[in-house]
Amino acid sequence: MKVQYIQFKVKNQHRVCIHLSPHHFKFLKQLASIRYEGDISKTILYLLSKYLKFLYQIKKIDQKRTLTIDYQPPTKEYKRYWININPTYWGHLYNLRFSLGYSMSFLLRIMIDWEMIENQEPNPKILIPLPILNEAPQSTLRFLQIYAQGVRIYHTSRWIYLRLSGYY
């Protein structure tokens, strides 16, 4: 078995582009100003931590069996917005898109929709309703695993530790 350790520190903020409707972006900024003094990074972390269990319930990878990503339904109301975000949070969204089958902007849109419902916003247009969680154990797929990867992320200090193992 060969084990390799990688350690690196990411920069404080990273500028990324998201595609949202003005109504959703306005709500995201409003939520950031109310809860986290305008910090959109912490707001996205809040949304991820609150709705992650629900996001795994709506994943499409099992039905599609491909790694292609589903994007938001095309409409002329989406605009490009540039936000500054902690790269570790953005990396979490980036990895989720492969697990769930939706683009990062679409994942943000879904979570913002769910948060709008909870805050009783008037007339939200919900693309995917909030699923009901069931506590039934899920079946797991068994496969031959010859590589293992462990990732440890410290969000406050922005350190990322990777442990890669190859069994051969």
Side-chain angles (χ1 to χ4, degrees), residues 49-104:
S49 61
K50 184 175 181 179
Y51 294 114
L52 189 61
K53 295 183 289 189
F54 299 101
L55 287 174
Y56 280 116
Q57 293 295 318
I58 63 165
K59 65 182 178 178
K60 292 189 85 169
I61 292 296
D62 294 343
Q63 295 111 14
K64 293 184 345 179
R65 302 207 185 273
T66 66
L67 287 179
T68 58
I69 303 300
D70 283 350
Y71 293 92
Q72 302 183 59
T75 178
K76 295 186 188 242
E77 67 182 46
Y78 290 129
K79 294 186 178 177
R80 297 173 84 184
Y81 294 101
W82 291 91
I83 60 171
N84 292 323
I85 188 170
N86 184 327
T88 56
Y89 305 157
W90 192 250
H92 191 67
L93 267 175
Y94 184 80
N95 290 334
L96 273 177
R97 74 185 189 132
F98 293 116
S99 306
L100 303 176
Y102 299 106
S103 70
M104 294 177 279

Side-chain angles (χ1 to χ4, degrees), residues 155-167:
H155 293 295
T156 53
S157 62
R158 302 179 323 275
W159 280 101
I160 300 174
Y161 299 95
L162 298 173
R163 180 178 180 259
L164 306 169
S165 304
Y167 302 97

Side-chain angles (χ1 to χ4, degrees), residues 1-4 144-148 164-168:
M1 175 172 76
K2 183 177 180 180
V3 178
Q4 179 181 6
L144 179 61
Q145 199 172 27
I146 57 172
Y147 296 101
L164 306 169
S165 304
Y167 302 97
Y168 51 91

Side-chain angles (χ1 to χ4, degrees), residues 6-7 10 12 19-20 30 41 44 47 57 59 85 96 104 106 118 128 140:
I6 301 170
Q7 167 186 338
V10 296
N12 190 17
H19 298 270
L20 291 174
Q30 178 185 359
S41 280
I44 290 175
L47 291 173
Q57 293 295 318
K59 65 182 178 178
I85 188 170
L96 273 177
M104 294 177 279
F106 197 20
E118 188 170 299
I128 298 175
T140 58

